Amino acid sequence: MVKCEVKIGDAVFKNFVFTASGTFGYGDEYEDIFDPALLGGICSKGLTRFPREGNPPPRLTETPSGLLNSVGLQNMGVEAFLEKKIPELVKKKVTVIANIAGNTLEEFQEMTALCDKAGGITAVELNVSCPNVKEGGMAFGVNEEHIRSITAACRAATTKALIVKLSPNVTDITAMAGAALEGGADALTVANTLLGMAVDVDKRAPSIANVFAGLSGPAIKPVALRLVYQVKKSFPEATIMASGGIVSPRDALEFFMAGASAVQIGTGLFRDPELPLHVLEGVKEFCVENGFPSVGAVTGLAIRR
Amino acid sequence: MAMKVKEITIKENMLLTDSVCLLSFSDPQWAAETRPGQFFNILVSRETDPLLRRPISIGDIKGGTLYFFYKIVGKGTEILSRKRKGETLSVMGPLGKGFPADGEKNCLIGGGIGVAPLIYLLRVLTENKKKAVLHGGFPSAGEDYLTPYQDNGLFRSKENLFIYTEDGSRGEKGYPTKNIEKMSGNQRLLTCGPLPLMKAAEQEGRKKEWASWHSLEERMACGAGACLGCVVQTLKGHQLVCKDGPVFTGKELPW
């Protein structure tokens, strides 16, 4: 038996596979395909204080081994999620991480407090890295001071596990990681999408209505791996949830060896909706075959000290 | 009617015109469950480029076999067109909400590859003993894939099928909307095709106060309502083509 549990703050998740925010809806969209209660947890669609319509279409463009999206945090708002979606998810025994995105520090804190009070939420993931909204979003995630103060404010508002989802669009991610850890984060998600764009040559115009968009998928895996490695090397005690282009168990193993304790599956779901279960089984199998008693024993193996 | 992911074995995959292919596979369960206007997400490559599945509407269903018409427009459909009988594909579906198939009198207007979902709609309506006529338009005879597909007993020419070409090389010259004006009675208008065609059909239909349904298209990733990528603007705000659609009523669209 391979030990699969992952501890973040005081929360213990049953295994190391999660779905990434924005790729798994509110948790019930894929239940025809597999039972989301089998996962370590699901990260909700990015929630804001009030409902958001999001960006105009077109919002998507496929790129070589990648996907550009600019959804712009379309969501029902945190309160509607807590009232309408959480009771069903609780009934189905799904472990939920609420991904929240505030326009201001106060909004972040207020939403964290709402999630703290609500039953059925195991952890809060602070989205300080959305590249697709004008206000807040990535602007917070590229500034150490903002990350530190937002994390500290949310820390004060909850005893639940607190995760900060970092932006890859920074010069030095270790500075941002350090700020989040100082602010009291229990774990870091490394990382959100890379800012990019595509041009429609026939239309002589950007392919996406919002011009810039977040790049995900296998195309960004090498960048995400490097970021995970840098953060883990600088902060050996940090718990990292890795996210960026995982489409196979071996991809996940690369992230574990680079320093991750858990993985988030996102864009890979769109080609293989059963991918989270494949990754879970594949990584466990690897541990059994190679004599690792736990996934934790694989974490950081590739880091040169 | 749960969506599923299945490994299917290709029964046939052949060109009907220079650029439109017909793909078929047998799946009695899906054949029984799938409604006209719904679609399936097909994984064309085990590699990661192209990364996403291709959404393709159900074109026809008979004898437990599903038929898909698709146009080779890019890398994904080009790869799909090279698949041969006996090869397997990962297919996800059925997805989306389809056309209503319970109206007494139905006018089906399709253009180009948009004619495809209307073929199965015509079959279901006919089987339900409803009146239905399909008006299908193509740029020219060379792009008409209905004629090569016709020998399947569904179409009773000059009774329930009219073909139009822009250059007059087959059927009537002009767009498939040109005869709506002359049509009588209270009909349902059901369309799929380029936006200007659906808009023209809607305008004609409104003059007659017909209820209408239109199948829309938008770039899509998950197909399941999870990624919120494929929205269209409606009078109720952003709606998802994959889950709220692809078929929307004429009343809810902003035109």
Side-chain angles (χ1 to χ4, degrees), chain B residues 161-182:
Chain B
L161 173 68
F162 291 89
I163 287 176
Y164 303 75
T165 52
E166 283 168 44
D167 65 0
S169 53
R170 183 170 293 152
E172 202 167 324
K173 185 171 177 175
Y175 295 108
T177 46
K178 66 184 284 189
N179 292 320
I180 298 178
E181 213 183 338
K182 291 185 266 177

Side-chain angles (χ1 to χ4, degrees), chain A residues 53 59-60 62 207 271, chain B residues 52-54 219 228 238:
Chain A
E53 266 278 280
R59 293 175 168 183
L60 301 173
E62 209 175 1
S207 296
R271 51 182 285 106
Chain B
L52 301 174
R53 289 167 179 261
R54 264 47 194 166
R219 291 182 211 151
L228 310 186
H238 284 148

Side-chain angles (χ1 to χ4, degrees), chain A residues 22-23 25 29-30 32-33 45 53-55 57-62 64-67 71 74 207 218 267 270-271 273, chain B residues 2-3 5 43 45-54 92 218-222 224-229 231 237-238:
Chain A
T23 64
E29 284 81 356
Y30 279 104
D32 287 350
I33 308 273
K45 171 73 204 160
E53 266 278 280
N55 291 334
R59 293 175 168 183
L60 301 173
T61 293
E62 209 175 1
S65 295
L67 173 65
V71 170
Q74 177 178 337
S207 296
T267 302
F270 305 155
R271 51 182 285 106
Chain B
M3 71 172 166
V5 181
L43 189 66
S45 172
R46 309 282 168 180
E47 305 302 316
T48 59
D49 186 23
L51 184 64
L52 301 174
R53 289 167 179 261
R54 264 47 194 166
M92 172 179 163
E218 186 52 64
R219 291 182 211 151
M220 202 176 274
C222 73
C227 75
L228 310 186
V231 293
H238 284 148

Side-chain angles (χ1 to χ4, degrees), chain B residues 97-142:
Chain B
K97 296 193 177 102
F99 285 108
D102 55 357
E104 287 308 320
K105 213 171 170 194
N106 302 273
C107 171
L108 282 53
I109 304 280
I113 200 62
V115 174
L118 304 178
I119 300 171
Y120 184 49
L121 178 60
L122 179 67
R123 181 181 297 283
V124 171
L125 286 167
T126 307
E127 283 170 3
N128 290 351
K129 309 270 186 267
K130 309 294 181 191
K131 286 199 172 119
V133 178
L134 168 56
H135 302 265
F138 304 95
S140 68

Side-chain angles (χ1 to χ4, degrees), chain A residues 194-295:
Chain A
L194 277 162
L195 195 60
M197 76 174 286
V199 171
D200 184 328
V201 170
D202 296 320
K203 292 182 179 155
R204 285 101 166 113
S207 296
I208 286 185
N210 201 39
V211 185
F212 299 149
L215 181 63
S216 62
I220 70 163
K221 195 187 80 178
V223 178
L225 270 170
R226 184 264 298 175
L227 295 170
V228 168
Y229 186 104
Q230 280 182 309
V231 171
K232 189 66 176 179
K233 186 157 181 171
S234 296
F235 303 98
E237 301 305 315
T239 302
I240 298 173
M241 303 185 96
S243 179
I246 295 170
V247 294
S248 71
R250 283 193 88 81
D251 289 340
L253 283 161
E254 283 194 61
F255 278 105
F256 285 118
M257 291 183 186
S261 298
V263 289
Q264 294 185 3
I265 311 283
T267 302
L269 276 164
F270 305 155
R271 51 182 285 106
D272 176 8
E274 295 159 306
L275 181 62
L277 299 185
H278 294 157
V279 167
L280 181 58
E281 289 313 311
V283 171
K284 277 203 285 197
E285 221 167 89
F286 175 88
C287 289
V288 170
E289 283 168 9
N290 293 275
F292 293 108
S294 68
V295 177

Side-chain angles (χ1 to χ4, degrees), chain B residues 67-100:
Chain B
Y67 295 84
F68 297 86
F69 301 84
Y70 63 94
K71 191 175 165 76
I72 303 172
V73 288
K75 190 170 178 176
T77 43
E78 200 275 321
I79 291 171
L80 184 59
S81 73
R82 283 190 266 121
K83 304 279 178 194
R84 292 287 158 257
K85 180 180 174 171
E87 287 186 58
T88 59
L89 285 172
S90 169
V91 179
M92 172 179 163
L95 302 168
K97 296 193 177 102
F99 285 108

Side-chain angles (χ1 to χ4, degrees), chain A residues 35-276:
Chain A
D35 178 3
L38 296 171
L39 304 180
I42 62 150
C43 297
S44 73
K45 171 73 204 160
L47 302 165
T48 49
R49 181 66 189 86
F50 302 102
R52 270 181 75 102
E53 266 278 280
N55 291 334
R59 293 175 168 183
L60 301 173
T61 293
E62 209 175 1
T63 64
S65 295
L67 173 65
L68 280 165
N69 90 80
S70 182
V71 170
L73 291 177
Q74 177 178 337
N75 79 101
M76 59 173 66
V78 67
E79 281 168 303
F81 176 73
L82 295 175
E83 281 161 33
K84 292 180 188 154
K85 293 288 181 178
I86 282 293
E88 277 302 300
L89 293 167
V90 168
K91 229 182 273 173
K92 292 168 187 162
K93 298 189 164 51
V94 179
T95 304
V96 179
I97 298 176
N99 179 289
I100 60 168
N103 284 328
T104 60
L105 180 144
E106 290 72 23
E107 266 191 16
F108 267 109
Q109 190 174 35
E110 191 184 352
M111 283 193 283
T112 302
L114 286 171
C115 293
D116 185 74
K117 273 191 294 180
I121 297 222
T122 303
V124 176
E125 182 178 55
L126 305 180
N127 182 353
V128 291
S129 45
C130 179
N132 296 327
V133 291
K134 287 195 175 69
E135 67 288 358
M138 201 172 75
F140 287 138
V142 297
N143 180 309
E144 288 166 65
E145 271 316 307
H146 287 154
I147 291 179
R148 189 178 293 110
S149 56
I150 289 168
T151 309
C154 295
R155 178 74 286 167
T158 186
T159 52
K160 289 183 178 171
L162 188 65
I163 304 162
V164 177
K165 185 167 185 174
L166 297 177
S167 170
N169 305 301
V170 293
T171 310
D172 178 11
I173 195 159
T174 62
M176 308 303 149
L181 294 169
E182 281 168 32
D186 297 309
L188 306 169
T189 300
V190 180
N192 209 317
T193 53
L194 277 162
L195 195 60
M197 76 174 286
V199 171
D200 184 328
V201 170
D202 296 320
K203 292 182 179 155
R204 285 101 166 113
S207 296
I208 286 185
N210 201 39
V211 185
F212 299 149
L215 181 63
S216 62
I220 70 163
K221 195 187 80 178
V223 178
L225 270 170
R226 184 264 298 175
L227 295 170
V228 168
Y229 186 104
Q230 280 182 309
V231 171
K232 189 66 176 179
K233 186 157 181 171
S234 296
F235 303 98
E237 301 305 315
T239 302
I240 298 173
M241 303 185 96
S243 179
I246 295 170
V247 294
S248 71
R250 283 193 88 81
D251 289 340
L253 283 161
E254 283 194 61
F255 278 105
F256 285 118
M257 291 183 186
S261 298
V263 289
Q264 294 185 3
I265 311 283
T267 302
L269 276 164
F270 305 155
R271 51 182 285 106
D272 176 8
E274 295 159 306
L275 181 62

